[in-house]
Amino acid sequence: MSGTTPSEVRPAGILGLSTFLIHKLGAELRRRVAEELVGMGLGPRHHRALLFLATRGPAAQKDISLATDLDPSNVVGVIDDLDRQGLVVRRRDTTDRRRNVIEITDTGRVVLAQGDEAVGRVEEAALRALEPAERDQLYGFLYRMVVSLDLIKPAPNRVKEG
Amino acid sequence: MSGTTPSEVRPAGILGLSTFLIHKLGAELRRRVAEELVGMGLGPRHHRALLFLATRGPAAQKDISLATDLDPSNVVGVIDDLDRQGLVVRRRDTTDRRRNVIEITDTGRVVLAQGDEAVGRVEEAALRALEPAERDQLYGFLYRMVVSLDLIKPAPNRVKEG
DNA sequence: TATTGTTATACTCTATAACTATA
DNA sequence: TATAGTTATAGAGTATAACAATA
């Protein structure tokens, strides 16, 4: 039960691959998140876009693409949907008229809060088997993996002074 | 740098969700595995099926479905492909003629070995950021999560006496 | 020339429903 | 009645290429 026992024995075959477990977890989590969000007219990708916009402020579609792991060609439709529901506003950047500036609305923030709760429930269910310290460890491992695979830039700007 | 520091600070927003990191990792790993396997005429699902058959021995399509996270309707095509390439043989179960018995061939084992190497390279790349002990910890966390979400039965039969 | 957004399109993976042949 | 496999189909999610407007 303790973390110091080296007796973590992996089953032979497919279940012994971390890759497979991540695949399986990813698929199940996506399924559950989608199920939780469907009631509020959102898909997982809409929630990701809203969350990004709420955290980072107004952003170009290119930025959304990079941050949310969405192809630029697919960002179009996601923002279309959110725009149609009044959850974001899309306007041309006055200084660079190639760009759209996307901004979350007050309604968008309300819906996002509901979405966050829904996603939080899924995350809580997924992490239920782990103690709080282990959850942080897991997050740290995942974060380092994602960084080492060059999937995100090493660190956001938030720095806590000394 | 050590594992005892509690200063694992999570960024606000989408990057703070383990759910998102798992999604991102899952997508990237699937992409890389697919890329590695394409040269040998396999997809990730074909590799999973072959690996399962090599580990468990001859099995019904239903078993493959349960073990590899494939819908039964999709197992059909995957086994079709493998059969066509001579990597498995499909024959009717003599005692229950509803069932197919799928068995990996010698050629299948050769191709599987190549596939395992390819997947191993991806797994190695993904885990490069973690020390060996941490890799085992990560695997343990993932395994417990998968079990707690009821995605697999708690333990295979391999038990080490004493 | 390069970049942002857009459109059309296609491919993979996943999921559902209806059917067949067996049990 | 229930189960194993099959077929057809539909829906996400993802990815590519070509284009218009703008830089």
Side-chain angles (χ1 to χ4, degrees), chain B residues 79-92:
Chain B
I79 300 303
D80 281 352
D81 296 338
L82 295 174
D83 193 4
R84 215 174 296 118
Q85 295 177 259
L87 308 183
V88 302
V89 290
R90 177 199 251 140
R91 55 174 187 276
R92 282 284 159 184

Side-chain angles (χ1 to χ4, degrees), chain A residues 34 36-44 46-47 81-82 85 87 111 114:
Chain A
E36 291 272 351
L37 290 176
V38 71
M40 43 195 95
L42 299 179
H46 301 83
H47 173 258
D81 296 338
L82 295 173
Q85 294 177 259
L87 307 183
V111 172
Q114 297 169 358

Side-chain angles (χ1 to χ4, degrees), chain A residues 10-11 14-15 18-19 21 23-24 30 32 48 55 123 126 129 134 136-137 139 144-145 149 151, chain B residues 10-11 13-15 18-19 21 23-24 30 32 48 123 126 129 134 136-137 139 144-145 149 151:
Chain A
R10 299 202 192 185
I14 194 167
L15 282 179
S18 292
T19 299
L21 296 188
H23 157 80
K24 216 170 164 63
R30 216 175 313 122
R32 293 189 180 207
R48 279 187 271 155
T55 321
E123 181 133 342
E134 292 176 325
D136 286 341
Q137 269 186 297
Y139 177 84
R144 283 160 57 195
M145 289 170 73
L149 288 173
L151 303 182
Chain B
R10 299 203 192 184
I14 195 168
L15 281 179
S18 292
T19 299
L21 296 187
H23 157 80
K24 214 170 166 63
R30 216 175 313 122
R32 293 188 181 209
R48 279 188 270 154
E123 181 133 341
E134 292 176 325
D136 286 341
Q137 269 187 297
Y139 178 83
R144 283 160 59 194
M145 289 171 71
L149 287 173
L151 302 183

Side-chain angles (χ1 to χ4, degrees), chain B:
Chain B
M1 195 70 77
S2 121
T4 53
T5 46
S7 54
E8 212 71 89
V9 180
R10 299 203 192 184
I14 195 168
L15 281 179
L17 297 171
S18 292
T19 299
F20 179 65
L21 296 187
I22 289 174
H23 157 80
K24 214 170 166 63
L25 276 175
E28 179 69 12
L29 295 182
R30 216 175 313 122
R31 216 173 293 140
R32 293 188 181 209
V33 166
E35 194 178 20
E36 292 272 350
L37 292 176
V38 73
M40 44 194 95
L42 300 179
R45 304 183 301 169
H46 301 84
H47 173 259
R48 279 188 270 154
L50 279 183
L51 178 52
F52 171 72
L53 291 170
T55 321
R56 282 285 182 94
Q61 292 185 195
K62 187 74 189 308
D63 300 326
I64 298 173
S65 165
L66 290 172
T68 61
D69 211 24
L70 274 171
D71 192 89
S73 64
N74 299 316
V75 171
V76 179
V78 169
I79 300 303
D80 281 352
D81 296 338
L82 295 174
D83 193 4
R84 215 174 296 118
Q85 295 177 259
L87 308 183
V88 302
V89 290
R90 177 199 251 140
R91 55 174 187 276
R92 282 284 159 184
D93 186 333
T94 52
T95 71
D96 181 346
R97 277 157 33 216
R98 293 172 305 180
R99 294 179 155 234
N100 286 330
V101 176
I102 317 295
E103 187 168 8
I104 190 171
T105 63
D106 289 344
T107 312
R109 286 183 195 276
V110 172
V111 173
L112 172 61
Q114 298 169 359
D116 282 347
E117 266 185 50
V119 172
R121 281 194 295 274
V122 173
E123 181 133 341
E124 159 63 26
L127 297 174
R128 193 161 292 156
L130 307 184
E131 299 164 28
E134 292 176 325
R135 298 180 189 193
D136 286 341
Q137 269 187 297
L138 172 69
Y139 178 83
F141 292 161
L142 295 173
Y143 190 85
R144 283 160 59 194
M145 289 171 71
V146 166
V147 169
S148 107
L149 287 173
D150 206 34
L151 302 183
I152 55 176
K153 311 302 164 288
N157 285 335
R158 300 263 163 173
V159 179
K160 234 181 188 167
E161 45 148 25

